[in-house]
Every structure is written in C-alpha cells, then in structure tokens.
Amino acid sequence: MTAQAENDAEIVRGLTAGERGAFESLYRRHNVSMVRVASAILRNRASAEEVAHETWIAVLRNIEGFEARSSLAGWIFTILSNKAKTRVKRDGRVVSLDTAANDDDFADAFDGRGRWKDKPDLWDEMTPERVVAGRQILDHVSTAIEELPPAQRAVLVLRAQQELESQEVCEILEITEGNMRILLHRARRTLRQAINEVAS
Amino acid sequence: MMLTCRELAEQADAFLDEETSLTQRLQFRLHMSMCNGCARFIGQMRVTRSLITAEARSLKAGQDDKTVDTCIDSILAAFNDGKQSGV
C-alpha cells in the first residue's frame, strides 16, 4: 500500500468512526481548492461555496462506500465536479472545460527561427527562501491564479496544487490527457509572466 | 538536431516533470549550456512551479480557525439532520 493510500485509509477510518478531527483535517486540506474548482465550472463564487458544502455532506454520507479505486481526494473532487455540472445544467447553462484549442500569444516571444526575441530576465532576487517567505509574491500569484481562464485554473489546482494523478484530473474535468497538458503548461506560463512583473 | 528556443520552451513542462527521453534531456542540456535565455526560462519555470505549490500551502495554512469551525459545524449539523430524517 502506498503512503497516500495508507493516509486515505486512516482518514476514512476516522470519518467512519465519526471523528471530528479526521473531518477537519480533510476539510482544511481540500476545501479551498474545492471552491476554486467549482468556481471554474460554475463561474460563480457563491454557488461554488454552496456546492463545496453539499459535497462535504455527500462525502460524509457515502464514505462507507469509498472503495479506494481512486485516491480519496480524486473521489471527493469527482463528487464536487458532478454536483457543479448538475447545477450548471439545472440553471440551463452549458459550460465545457474542454477548451484548450485557443491559441495563446506565446509564439510572439520568438522570431521566425524560433529564437527568443527578448531573452527572459534573470530572477536573481527569487531565491527559494525568498519565494516561500514572500507574502507579497504569494498574494500576487493568488491574484494571477484567480484571473486564469477557468479551464486552466481547474487543471492547475487539481494537478499542480492538489497533485492528483493526470488520469484522475482528466476524468474529473472530462478532458483528454493532451488537452490537460496544454492547459497546465499554459497556466504555468501565464503565471511565470505574472511573476516576471514583480521579479525582474 | 539542435533544438530551437521555442521548441525547448514548449517542452519545458515535460523536461521539468522528467517525462523526456535521455536523448531529449541531453538536447535540453546542450542547448541550455549555450543559451542563457533558455537557461533563465527553465529557472523561471522552476521558481513558478515552487510558487504555485507554496501558494496552495499558504492558502490552506491561512484559513481562519473560527470560520473553519463554523463551516464544519454547519456541515456536520446538515449531515446529522439527514441521518435523523433518513435522507
């Protein structure tokens, strides 16, 4: 059993036994990201918070049925995503996250021979210590994440922040693996550009 | 064949995720040894990835205890109401 599977099993045992501490630990680990992912699907923060709330109740009601075929986080985010999509349909809207085909302007950074037009700056102030300690930088990153296109934001949160497996992310968001990679790469490049504004 | 800067930048995620072949990694390293623009770009992408992870940790650590308690109380109350009413 992997460390993550053992950890999941421990939390499931705690939830099944009705331990508040186990639930609080799970809630603190995932709720912020759940609201972000639901916001990306629903395009509305208040609705996203309601859906996250409903998801937690569903998790508690169904925890005994969790069969560990995916990670616990993957299972929770699947419930969240299904609830958010149901709400979108109920509201008579159509929201698809399968939108990687849009071109971005990264190609403009290169000349006709594929060389940088302007070489990237040296981020000599961005030592790992400063990066982690820098409240202002992290706030700047938060703002940039909130401004990402919804599909990029959802993929970034699930894959890069929640560290779900690629396959889980694709299933949760109903996108192809190729599409997921493009969305993730574009999200990281957009954030690099945002950080460049304060780092150079 | 030598990679262009654009090709390297477009494959940066695969390189940093160590999903590239040995030959591709050698091409990356050879290119970066001669191109400080691409070496800087890869450095920037490493920092960006660290910041993305750090941002998530910071948001989670910064959750207000009182707000979390209130939300958990509300979820547990709804869960227990459902159990009692057989929903």
Side-chain angles (χ1 to χ4, degrees):
Chain A
M1 194 184 258
T2 63
Q4 187 206 294
E6 278 178 26
N7 189 258
D8 282 355
E10 183 69 31
I11 291 171
V12 170
R13 272 194 296 276
L15 291 182
T16 308
E19 290 170 13
R20 184 186 171 102
F23 181 58
E24 181 172 337
S25 157
L26 197 63
Y27 179 93
R28 284 184 180 274
R29 197 178 306 165
H30 298 307
N31 194 63
V32 171
S33 296
M34 286 165 66
V35 172
R36 269 188 169 163
V37 171
S39 291
I41 297 171
L42 292 156
R43 317 286 207 261
N44 180 294
R45 174 90 188 185
S47 299
E49 286 177 358
E50 286 171 16
V51 164
H53 183 92
E54 289 168 12
T55 299
W56 284 121
I57 297 168
V59 166
L60 291 173
R61 280 189 185 145
N62 297 295
I63 193 64
E64 288 175 19
F66 172 66
E67 294 173 342
R69 281 184 292 203
S70 65
S71 65
L72 182 58
W75 183 69
I76 294 170
F77 278 96
T78 300
I79 296 173
L80 176 89
S81 165
N82 288 338
K83 285 192 175 294
K85 286 175 203 156
T86 301
R87 187 176 283 226
V88 167
K89 280 185 198 150
R90 192 192 71 192
D91 295 346
R93 295 185 293 136
V94 179
V95 172
S96 171
L97 293 174
D98 207 14
T99 54
N102 300 336
D103 285 334
D104 59 12
D105 55 6
F106 191 55
D108 295 342
F110 303 94
D111 65 19
R113 296 173 67 185
R115 294 180 303 204
W116 295 102
K117 285 182 191 165
D118 296 306
K119 285 187 179 173
D121 297 316
L122 181 64
W123 290 357
D124 52 356
E125 297 294 314
M126 300 288 275
T127 62
E129 294 77 17
R130 181 165 180 253
V131 162
V132 173
R135 180 70 261 161
Q136 197 181 347
I137 297 170
L138 292 178
D139 287 346
H140 189 71
V141 173
S142 287
T143 304
I145 289 174
E146 296 301 332
E147 289 172 355
L148 284 172
Q152 290 183 26
R153 190 165 69 241
V155 168
L156 185 89
V157 170
L158 291 173
R159 183 75 182 114
Q161 296 194 317
Q162 288 294 129
E163 298 178 340
L164 296 188
E165 295 295 328
S166 298
Q167 192 188 340
E168 289 182 316
V169 176
C170 294
E171 286 171 8
I172 291 166
L173 299 178
E174 296 182 58
I175 57 177
T176 63
E177 175 140 5
N179 200 343
M180 187 208 70
R181 284 175 187 275
I182 293 169
L183 289 166
L184 183 58
H185 190 47
R186 287 186 180 168
R188 284 172 170 152
R189 279 197 328 230
T190 303
L191 294 179
R192 178 194 74 94
Q193 194 59 41
I195 296 162
N196 196 46
E197 290 163 15
V198 293
S200 302
Chain B
M1 195 170 133
M2 184 83 172
L3 280 176
T4 66
C5 299
R6 182 175 175 176
E7 287 168 338
L8 182 144
E10 284 174 346
Q11 296 169 40
D13 256 1
F15 174 70
L16 291 170
D17 287 330
E18 299 180 354
E19 290 173 349
T20 43
S21 66
L22 178 62
T23 308
Q24 286 173 310
R25 284 199 294 280
L26 289 172
Q27 285 180 320
F28 259 72
R29 301 231 174 262
L30 178 65
H31 183 109
M32 284 192 290
S33 70
M34 295 185 290
C35 174
N36 66 352
C38 281
R40 285 179 183 182
F41 179 77
I42 292 293
Q44 290 182 351
M45 290 304 287
R46 282 190 207 280
V47 171
T48 300
R49 290 158 75 106
S50 300
L51 277 169
I52 291 167
T53 311
E55 192 265 352
R57 272 202 304 269
S58 166
L59 278 189
K60 288 171 190 177
Q63 294 177 90
D64 176 63
D65 288 345
K66 209 169 170 184
T67 308
V68 168
D69 271 349
T70 306
C71 289
I72 288 175
D73 286 344
S74 159
I75 292 163
L76 293 177
F79 170 61
N80 289 324
D81 284 352
K83 268 207 301 198
Q84 280 164 16
S85 60
V87 178

